[in-house]
Amino acid sequence: MAVLDTAVPGGKPRRTEREAFPEFVDAVIIGAGIAGMYQLHQLRRLGMSVRVFETGSDVGGTWYWNRYPGARFDSESWTYGYSFSEEVLEEWNWSEHFSAQPETLRYLNFVADKFDLRRDISFNSRVAAAHYQDDWGGWNITLDDGRCQKATFLITAIGPLSAHTLPRIDGIDDFQGTAFHTARWPHHPVDLSNKRVGVIGTGATGIQTIQTIAKSVGHLSVFQRTANWAAPLHNTPISAAEMAEIKANYPAIFARCRETPGCFIHMNDPRATFEVSEAERLAFYEELYNTPGFGIWQGNFRDMSTDPEANAAVSAFIADKIRQRVKDPVLAEKLIPKDHGFGTRRVPLETGYFEVYNQTNVRLVDLKATPIERITATGLRTSDEDHDLDVLIYATGFDALTGGFDRIDIRGRNGLSLKEKWADGPRTFLGLQTVDFPNMLTIVGPHNAAARCNIPRCIEQNVEWVSALMGYMRTHGHAHIEATQSAEDEWTESINELAAHMLYTHVDSWMTGVNRNVEGKDIRRVLQYQGGAPAYREHCAQSAAAGYAGFELR
Ligand code: NAP
């Protein structure tokens, strides 16, 4: 039986699948997630004609697709929502400090309703190809059902983590039980009670899934290849009084997010790790470990992500926490990463994750010791054992940042394929444009600060910058924008330099573009701007202030 792919699940398509749309629009946006929705709203305000194509049957992007049990924010809810609309800020109430997926999806539906966004969105519409047309200077966009659309501008809002990947394991279609990837979790309730469930993958998704289902399943087998660092989320409900206070403080909250490198409310401590005494250092780690959210990662000593000894110190602290929480010392050691330091991969935040392994119905299968040999009709075979399963959950991640682009046949000038151009790593200017692909703008594209950010904060900046550009081009009678070769070369070079001193560049993860489930993605690449969001915004603003320096406008 094939792994279920609920690409067009039984949601509520708002429009018919083969609806007609005008032959030509000013802009096509790919994706109706947080970025695509806001970009549509902004371009409409400029009076542009816009069509959004969305594979899913409704809005929401990441929060539409990722419905697995336990999916929720790792960012504080009240830092995550859109900031552009006073009305939205006033009317929406978050119920938890770290909202769960159903609430976030409700929020995005609320925004879509409020601004009547759906009338320009074609759902159930997967873009298969986008080809630049040299003769008239715009884009021909083709959907996988053959429908076509022409547009002057192509704006990609496809998300950094949208191309989910199944593992390359023999026999994946042989399994006779139920199997799905977490990013294609069915829209209908899945009853796991009393079932023998296997989860492959222990990244942020696997950890949220495991800690949530462990109590209700009959038996849970966790197939862990690489142990991951994780720290407590400390989620709590938001009372009415607290929500009123948050609303009153929104300007200060968003101002704070604008100051920090990742646009979270957490700011690195200005001290270096060994500037303080050991007692002070441990007390600070303890405080961070007990603070809700990403403080332990984003608010730690300033050298945690660059100095190996500083990193080893915080890693030792977290390792001890794992030892305290997992009763079986042998198991605890298996759950402690030995091949990378804390924070050199994106840190999952957890709620009782490590305690799950104290339950008698949960078993950790260490794939480093006993690798998976194949999937069988009845479960999964490792090198020493057959594991019988009713349900197999693939929490195996994404082909990050460039994967979403690779899945569309994007061709620029003279038929140049984007996939080929970026085969050895992306080349961009500002992570928003790439040479030979005129009039294509990439929201949250590779090399963009948004790719390492409390994402809606950076999305708003990207979208507003693109919208201002569109307005400028209209005012000046331009219909063509393309980065110059020198701007692209300099930006790409600076991206590599900024990342060079970061410890994460020495570690395999989606952040370094490594995904061995995808042909050609086994080499580390620099995909993210590491200079911090404030510096990135400054680069974008400087280019705009100089009449879009680094771009050729015609
Ligand atoms: P991920 O971090 O890439 O984790 C994928 C997991 O699958 C890893 O444990 C990986 O093992 C394992 N895996 C992949 N192929 C395998 C194979 N062939 N055999 C065995 N194991 C295999 O993906 P993710 O957990 O979906 O998270 C991706 C990102 O999404 C996160 O880092 C985060 O940025 C975002 N996310 C955010 C939230 C949130 O905001 N709350 C929640 C979930 C995800 P290896 O490590 O050995 O490769």
Side-chain angles (χ1 to χ4, degrees):
M1 188 188 284
V3 179
L4 290 180
D5 186 340
T6 53
V8 184
K12 319 172 280 200
R14 306 284 169 141
R15 303 168 78 91
T16 58
E17 286 188 28
R18 304 239 2 135
E19 78 194 306
F21 36 73
E23 189 196 356
F24 181 86
V25 286
D26 293 325
V28 155
I29 298 168
I30 310 179
I34 296 171
M37 288 168 62
Y38 185 38
Q39 187 68 76
L40 166 62
H41 178 61
Q42 283 279 342
L43 296 189
R44 266 192 196 163
R45 286 163 70 159
L46 289 172
M48 291 173 70
S49 57
V50 188
R51 173 100 333 231
V52 181
F53 292 120
E54 165 57 51
T55 305
S57 63
D58 209 337
V59 297
T62 285
W63 301 103
Y64 168 92
W65 293 109
N66 288 274
R67 296 166 187 252
Y68 59 85
R72 70 169 61 246
F73 289 156
D74 280 345
S75 306
E76 290 72 8
S77 311
W78 31 273
T79 69
Y80 192 96
Y82 292 111
S83 72
F84 71 89
S85 162
E86 294 290 334
E87 268 179 69
V88 169
L89 290 172
E90 190 47 46
E91 289 171 24
W92 184 260
N93 295 312
W94 294 104
S95 70
E96 293 178 277
H97 284 279
F98 300 89
S99 158
Q101 177 272 339
E103 182 171 47
T104 306
L105 191 57
R106 274 200 302 282
Y107 167 76
L108 293 170
N109 275 274
F110 161 75
V111 175
D113 290 340
K114 181 157 201 69
F115 299 110
D116 188 20
L117 296 179
R118 290 189 183 82
R119 70 183 150 86
D120 291 321
I121 305 176
S122 296
F123 295 106
N124 307 313
S125 300
R126 182 192 290 277
V127 173
H131 292 178
Y132 180 70
Q133 305 298 304
D134 294 280
D135 51 352
W136 63 273
W139 288 83
N140 277 5
I141 292 102
T142 311
L143 305 187
D144 63 2
D145 62 10
R147 287 177 294 164
C148 295
Q149 169 87 80
K150 293 184 196 312
T152 307
F153 296 100
L154 175 67
I155 301 177
T156 60
I158 56 180
L161 295 158
S162 56
H164 70 291
T165 49
L166 288 166
R168 291 202 272 192
I169 304 176
D170 286 344
I172 207 159
D173 288 334
D174 294 351
F175 184 56
Q176 292 302 305
T178 308
F180 25 67
H181 192 284
T182 43
R184 288 296 178 274
W185 196 270
H187 285 209
H188 56 79
V190 181
D191 182 12
L192 299 175
S193 53
N194 303 318
K195 300 267 185 353
R196 296 164 304 174
V197 180
V199 177
I200 304 181
T202 50
T205 303
I207 284 177
Q208 287 187 333
T209 306
I210 291 160
Q211 71 193 14
T212 307
I213 66 174
K215 289 203 169 45
S216 60
V217 299
H219 188 271
L220 178 62
S221 302
V222 176
F223 298 96
Q224 171 189 279
R225 187 166 64 184
T226 308
N228 254 327
W229 297 106
L233 175 67
H234 297 300
N235 184 31
T236 45
I238 298 179
S239 68
E242 251 182 313
M243 195 63 228
E245 199 182 320
I246 288 168
K247 284 183 184 176
N249 279 331
Y250 268 135
I253 290 167
F254 293 126
R256 166 72 170 175
C257 291
R258 269 195 298 279
E259 286 171 6
T260 64
C263 294
F264 295 97
I265 53 157
H266 311 281
M267 173 75 106
N268 277 346
D269 192 282
R271 298 169 298 173
T273 303
F274 300 112
E275 265 172 37
V276 300
S277 70
E278 188 183 5
E280 238 181 301
R281 177 163 57 77
L282 292 176
F284 183 52
Y285 289 157
E286 192 69 42
E287 182 192 324
L288 292 175
Y289 198 76
N290 292 315
T291 303
F294 273 139
I296 189 88
W297 187 32
Q298 299 286 317
N300 216 308
F301 291 113
R302 66 171 152 79
D303 52 355
M304 186 194 90
S305 303
T306 51
D307 175 2
E309 283 181 34
N311 188 268
V314 68
S315 300
F317 172 86
I318 307 282
D320 277 346
K321 289 288 180 194
I322 298 172
R323 289 185 188 106
Q324 286 159 22
R325 293 173 59 183
V326 178
K327 285 185 188 151
D328 176 344
V330 176
L331 197 51
E333 290 312 311
K334 287 186 188 213
L335 288 161
I336 296 171
K338 304 291 190 311
D339 57 358
H340 67 281
F342 180 77
T344 59
R345 291 170 143 203
R346 197 281 207 177
V347 177
L349 295 182
E350 47 81 29
T351 305
Y353 173 68
F354 292 105
E355 286 75 9
V356 156
Y357 295 97
N358 299 331
Q359 290 180 215
T360 51
N361 68 332
V362 178
R363 176 171 170 201
L364 182 77
V365 180
D366 176 4
L367 297 180
K368 288 260 160 78
T370 57
I372 297 176
E373 289 193 339
R374 62 173 299 116
I375 308 289
T376 65
T378 54
L380 188 155
R381 182 172 306 148
T382 55
S383 59
D384 67 341
E385 201 179 332
D386 273 310
H387 299 261
D388 288 337
L389 301 168
D390 304 309
V391 180
L392 185 46
I393 299 171
Y394 295 100
T396 45
F398 302 87
D399 183 1
L401 281 144
T402 53
F405 290 93
D406 291 351
R407 291 180 186 193
I408 304 171
D409 177 25
I410 299 177
R411 291 180 186 270
R413 209 192 294 289
N414 301 319
L416 176 68
S417 143
L418 184 66
K419 190 174 176 181
E420 280 166 30
K421 175 173 173 180
W422 285 358
D424 296 328
R427 302 192 63 80
T428 78
F429 178 45
L430 298 176
L432 284 163
Q433 241 271 305
T434 186
V435 173
D436 282 328
F437 295 79
N439 290 5
M440 182 177 90
L441 293 143
T442 53
I443 309 294
V444 199
H447 288 183
N448 189 310
R452 195 193 171 121
C453 189
N454 184 15
I455 205 159
R457 300 281 62 77
C458 288
I459 282 174
E460 284 188 339
Q461 181 273 342
N462 272 203
V463 165
E464 286 161 16
W465 189 89
V466 166
S467 307
L469 167 71
M470 295 288 134
Y472 179 93
M473 290 180 71
R474 286 199 143 193
T475 310
H476 291 78
H478 297 309
H480 171 105
I481 175 157
E482 187 177 1
T484 64
Q485 191 61 58
S486 58
E488 177 175 293
D489 292 346
E490 275 171 38
W491 185 255
T492 304
E493 188 54 35
S494 77
I495 293 285
N496 294 336
E497 276 170 21
L498 279 169
H501 69 294
M502 306 283 295
L503 299 175
Y504 91 97
T505 57
H506 305 293
V507 176
D508 289 352
S509 82
W510 70 260
M511 289 182 5
T512 45
V514 177
N515 185 330
R516 294 199 168 75
N517 299 317
V518 182
E519 194 78 47
K521 296 281 173 80
D522 50 359
I523 297 164
R524 291 182 201 140
R525 290 157 297 140
V526 179
L527 298 178
Q528 302 166 323
Y529 175 79
Q530 294 292 343
Y536 175 78
R537 274 196 303 275
E538 190 55 32
H539 283 292
C540 292
Q542 278 175 9
S543 165
Y548 295 93
F551 295 95
E552 190 196 34
L553 293 167
R554 286 202 304 270

